[in-house]
Amino acid sequence: MLRFFQMVLISLVLAGCAIKPSIDDPKLSDRELDLVEFFEGRTTAHGQFQDVLGNVSRRFEVDIKGSWNGSELVLVEDFVYSDNTTEQRIWTLTPKGDGAWTGTAAGVIGEATGQIKGDMFYWTYTIDLPLPDGPMRVTFDDYMWSLSDKRVLNIAYMSKYGFPLGQVTIFFEKE
């Protein structure tokens, strides 16, 4: 009987890996997400991490300052977590044409890659994520949707060695 429940749990976890949006999904609006237009200036965000069972283990707020120099979008992200710890991540994003983007930040392994299609931005990268017990190398599959000129929803699926760890849900608001 225990073996049966183990198989059910493994099946549910693997099924969770397959249930993600796709950049090719039908668009829900006629909006066009413009990363520079949205993130240039000041943006705030609120988010939380949920494990694969849906338990919320960490919440955070982010103050983002974006600047565009004509060829790169730099995002300075200042995180404040629910346990009052702080973190700063600085992203440098570069458009590559046809909606493609690349990006770098401290801790990111290699280069992040992304694609905009309509109201959606798909972004993937591997990072040594700083945690209270020390860094952990994880992969993020980020999906962002433009909800309005002032709001973007982000759901990021986090995995390690291809196994899902949970998801981060973030709500960005342009000031």
Side-chain angles (χ1 to χ4, degrees):
M1 188 65 149
L2 179 60
R3 184 123 173 99
F4 170 75
F5 286 116
Q6 288 174 333
M7 293 306 293
V8 168
L9 181 60
I10 289 170
S11 296
L12 288 173
V13 168
L14 291 176
C17 294
I19 304 173
K20 291 182 188 174
S22 167
I23 193 79
D24 295 318
D25 285 346
K27 300 303 163 218
L28 299 177
S29 75
D30 59 358
R31 303 188 59 74
E32 295 288 327
L33 178 57
D34 183 323
L35 291 179
V36 173
E37 185 176 311
F38 185 80
F39 283 107
E40 188 173 29
R42 189 159 184 265
T43 308
T44 57
H46 301 269
Q48 66 183 26
F49 172 77
Q50 292 174 251
D51 65 23
V52 292
L53 300 176
N55 300 307
V56 176
S57 62
R58 202 167 195 203
R59 289 198 167 111
F60 56 88
E61 293 182 6
V62 191
D63 181 46
I64 304 164
K65 292 175 188 76
S67 59
W68 172 250
N69 67 12
S71 61
E72 293 178 328
L73 176 62
V74 175
L75 302 177
V76 178
E77 301 176 330
D78 291 306
F79 290 79
V80 178
Y81 294 94
S82 53
D83 62 2
N84 289 321
T85 59
T86 61
E87 174 188 356
Q88 184 178 73
R89 183 170 299 127
I90 301 173
W91 281 100
T92 301
L93 287 72
T94 307
K96 296 297 182 181
D98 294 327
W101 286 77
T102 59
T104 58
V108 171
I109 309 306
E111 202 170 57
T113 59
Q115 181 70 42
I116 294 176
K117 191 170 181 184
D119 62 355
M120 182 186 196
F121 179 50
Y122 169 66
W123 183 244
T124 186
Y125 56 94
T126 299
I127 187 170
D128 286 333
L129 191 64
L131 297 175
D133 296 335
M136 178 172 60
R137 185 164 291 181
V138 296
T139 298
F140 279 97
D141 288 308
D142 269 281
Y143 299 85
M144 295 182 184
W145 294 270
S146 174
L147 302 178
S148 73
D149 290 343
K150 301 219 177 253
R151 292 182 182 90
V152 167
L153 174 65
N154 179 197
I155 299 176
Y157 298 88
M158 189 168 74
S159 62
K160 184 173 179 77
Y161 305 122
F163 294 100
L165 298 177
Q167 74 179 40
V168 179
T169 304
I170 305 171
F171 186 75
F172 294 96
E173 255 187 311
K174 181 77 176 162
E175 296 194 3

